[in-house]
Amino acid sequence: MTDSRYLKRTIVKEVIASRFLNEERALRIYLPPGYNEVLSYPVVYCQDGEEFFNFGRIATYANQLILDEGVEPFIVVGIEVDVKKRTSEYAPFGERHQNYVRCIMEEIIPFVEQKYRARDDDRVLAGDSLGGSMSLHLSLLYPREFPRVISLSGAYYGESQEIVARETDLEWLDIYMIVGLQENEYQTDHGTFDFVDLNRRTRDLLLDRGATVRYAEKEGKHLWGFWQKELPDALTYFLTH
């Protein structure tokens, strides 16, 4: 990852004023090498956008995949979040959750697709921990818009599993799930959870309803040091077929 070609990244910072959240929301947008207004591109929308760029190194990996691995050029949109409001926005039981969903669907995505050459029929959602479950929930709410999800150690608490269990047909869904085997006693702001068990249960619910699930458990903790290494495989999975 020291090749200078990988480090020459085009990252644009944008700020939108959200009427649903009554505040400004920052975006980080990665544009692929050779970005051309005449063409159009798949888009990966990331929760915890700042962390995907800073700790996940998603822009650097994207350059590597595009330049050397034959992956189709794609755009990355990182949606930043205030950590103090993260649970209230990402969790389905959060008080800001519905407004955050509306912000994504009615403000962020229209902004991106109007200003950049982002395809409206070729989107991937990505998130880590609670951002992973948020991505799945958004997909379930808008199946035609988001049939593909990258879930890095998704925080699939009881409420999330109940939402999945209410679905009857998920044959349209394709989800990439990874969880670390050392995440079996992870302390969150509202309790200690076995993330391995949460992900296994959610995987089984999804499979029972016909979803395509690429699932793996590997040595790793609930940290970006683990997730970063899994990003290239996750991106390649969706952007090469």
Side-chain angles (χ1 to χ4, degrees), residues 60-79:
T60 304
Y61 279 125
N63 268 10
Q64 179 189 28
L65 294 173
I66 293 166
L67 293 173
D68 289 347
E69 304 299 330
V71 170
E72 180 181 6
F74 60 96
I75 294 170
V76 179
V77 177
I79 306 170

Side-chain angles (χ1 to χ4, degrees), residues 197-222:
D197 182 64
L198 294 180
N199 278 265
R200 287 175 181 171
R201 291 176 181 270
T202 303
R203 172 202 61 192
D204 293 345
L205 288 169
L206 293 168
L207 287 172
D208 287 345
R209 285 151 183 79
T212 298
V213 183
R214 167 78 175 270
Y215 180 88
E217 298 173 4
K218 297 184 179 181
E219 297 295 322
K221 298 180 180 180
H222 199 80

Side-chain angles (χ1 to χ4, degrees), residues 15 62-63 103 130-131 186 225:
V15 176
N63 268 10
C103 172
L130 203 56
Y186 183 71

Side-chain angles (χ1 to χ4, degrees), residues 1-114:
M1 296 295 287
T2 58
D3 190 318
S4 62
R5 296 177 304 141
Y6 305 155
L7 301 177
K8 293 178 181 178
R9 304 153 303 174
T10 301
I11 301 173
V12 183
K13 293 187 178 181
E14 301 277 11
V15 176
I16 67 167
S18 172
R19 67 183 186 276
F20 296 110
L21 299 176
N22 294 314
E23 64 184 29
E24 293 185 335
R25 183 55 51 107
L27 307 175
R28 295 191 186 198
I29 300 176
Y30 159 85
L31 301 177
Y35 176 78
N36 189 328
E37 292 285 349
V38 176
L39 305 176
S40 63
Y41 301 87
V43 191
V44 180
Y45 288 92
C46 303
Q47 309 301 323
D48 291 303
E50 184 175 7
E51 292 194 353
F52 264 86
F53 277 84
N54 290 347
F55 305 137
R57 302 182 69 190
I58 192 169
T60 304
Y61 279 125
N63 268 10
Q64 179 189 28
L65 294 173
I66 293 166
L67 293 173
D68 289 347
E69 304 299 330
V71 170
E72 180 181 6
F74 60 96
I75 294 170
V76 179
V77 177
I79 306 170
E80 299 191 11
V81 65
D82 181 342
V83 294
K84 296 178 181 178
K85 301 174 183 177
R86 185 173 180 270
T87 298
S88 67
E89 291 183 354
Y90 287 5
F93 50 81
E95 61 183 13
R96 291 167 61 91
H97 181 71
Q98 291 186 355
N99 283 343
Y100 180 60
V101 169
R102 294 195 68 182
C103 172
I104 292 175
M105 298 306 301
E106 299 180 41
E107 295 173 329
I108 292 175
I109 289 179
F111 171 83
V112 170
E113 293 182 351
Q114 181 177 18

